[in-house]
Amino acid sequence: MTAFLVSGIAGTVPGVVGEPYRDGSGNEYLPMFVQPVLVYAADAAGLRRAYERAMSRDVTPAVYTRELFETGHDAANRAAVADVPAEALDLVGIAFRADRKTVDKVVDRLRFHG
């Protein structure tokens, strides 16, 4: 789920992914994020609160709902989200990118995933 969520950031935010890596033998490796990815844990209420805080600050999140565990492909994923109004989304994860001050406000009271 985390990998799916951060793919939304990697695929839409210019400059967030760096250059490919190369080792001393000339082998090339895939590029990665240029900044750390912070992962927080939350219960359903904490996740909903973070989602609402992100949305109220015009921060567009990637969302993963419980229904996406049952779908088999991308079109079915989008359809599963489209069928549910925002206030009824059964969120199990979100990902977003924002300036640090905004991130701190969105994740307030959440703890790092351990």
Side-chain angles (χ1 to χ4, degrees):
M1 174 185 50
T2 303
F4 276 109
L5 287 167
V6 297
S7 69
I9 295 169
T12 60
V13 180
V16 75
V17 175
E19 297 295 319
Y21 287 74
R22 284 186 180 78
D23 64 25
S25 299
N27 296 310
E28 188 170 300
Y29 304 98
L30 296 173
M32 295 186 281
F33 287 118
V34 297
Q35 295 176 319
V37 174
L38 305 176
V39 179
Y40 292 84
D43 60 11
L47 188 56
R48 174 54 64 173
R49 185 176 60 247
Y51 167 83
E52 296 293 342
R53 288 177 176 177
M55 296 298 284
S56 73
R57 288 169 172 79
D58 293 322
V59 174
T60 304
V63 296
Y64 204 96
T65 65
R66 188 162 314 281
E67 293 80 10
L68 300 187
F69 289 114
E70 305 290 325
T71 58
H73 54 84
D74 191 47
N77 291 349
R78 284 193 306 280
V81 173
D83 286 344
V84 182
E87 63 276 3
L89 290 172
D90 189 2
L91 298 169
V92 294
I94 64 171
F96 63 92
R97 185 172 189 268
D99 64 80
R100 184 173 181 127
K101 183 178 176 183
T102 302
V103 170
D104 288 346
K105 289 179 181 177
V106 170
V107 301
D108 184 50
R109 294 189 287 173
L110 299 184
R111 297 180 188 260
F112 282 113
H113 188 276

